[in-house]
Amino acid sequence: MASKGGIESLGPEGASAAAHALSLPAEAYGNDERVEALWAMKAFNHAEVYFNLISSVEPKFLKLTKMDDHIYDRFREEFRDLDVKVLKEDDLKSADAKERWRPFCNQFEGSVEDFNYGTLLRLDCEKEYSEENTIFVTRIQFFAVEVTRNREGLNDAVFSARSRKS
C-alpha cells in the first residue's frame, strides 16, 4: 500500500492550508469537492499508517487509544456475536445496524477524540485495503473493530504474512 502523492505531495504550505480547511465546520463548505478530496486523502493516509503498523508490530501489543479496554468491553457487550474477521456491509450500514451502532458510537463523544470522523475499515481482516475490501465508517467503529481484531488475534495473519516476506 504505497503512497503516490498523498498529503505529503501538498508541501508544507499546502498541508497547513489543508489542515486549516479540515478544521472548519462542515457548514462552511456545503459540497466542496476539494474538501471531500482532502478528507479522502486523510482517511487513506490513516489507513496506510494503520496497515503498516499491524504489519510490523504484533497486533496484540498495540494500543490504539487510551480507552482500548473500555472500547473493547463495551463493543463485546453490545455486539457479542458480530464476526469481526470478515464483516459485511450490512453489519455496519443496514438500517438495523445503524440503530445498534448509533448509541454505541455516541457514548464515546467527548472521550474519544474525533470519534465520528470518517475512517476506512477493512472488511476482511486478512486482506489489505482495496476498493473491494474497504468501507467508510466512523473512527469509533474503526477502533471498536480493530481493537477487537487485535485482542482476539485476528490481525495476526497480516503481521505473520509481512514477517514471512521480510
Side-chain angles (χ1 to χ4, degrees), residues 73-148:
D73 292 343
R74 294 294 300 129
F75 175 73
R76 276 306 181 204
E77 285 172 19
E78 181 62 34
F79 297 95
R80 185 173 293 110
D81 299 324
L82 183 60
D83 177 11
V84 295
K85 183 176 182 178
V86 181
L87 292 166
K88 296 178 276 321
E89 185 173 347
D90 282 352
D91 295 332
L92 301 156
K93 303 284 186 173
S94 71
D96 288 342
K98 287 179 180 181
E99 287 301 312
R100 286 186 73 197
W101 277 104
R102 189 172 295 110
F104 173 83
C105 294
N106 287 338
Q107 72 182 304
F108 294 99
E109 184 174 11
S111 58
V112 172
E113 187 176 348
D114 302 332
F115 82 106
N116 63 348
Y117 274 28
T119 306
L120 300 175
L121 177 69
R122 293 168 302 130
L123 292 168
D124 183 336
C125 69
E126 293 185 352
K127 296 180 182 176
E128 294 189 22
Y129 284 94
S130 67
E131 189 173 339
E132 304 78 33
N133 193 43
T134 303
I135 191 166
F136 200 64
V137 298
T138 63
R139 181 148 307 157
I140 190 61
Q141 286 175 300
F142 170 85
F143 285 143
V145 170
E146 290 297 343
V147 165
T148 300

Side-chain angles (χ1 to χ4, degrees), residues 38-54:
L38 289 172
W39 276 113
M41 284 179 19
K42 185 175 180 176
F44 175 80
N45 286 337
H46 176 267
E48 184 176 44
V49 166
Y50 180 70
F51 194 80
N52 288 336
L53 191 59
I54 63 171

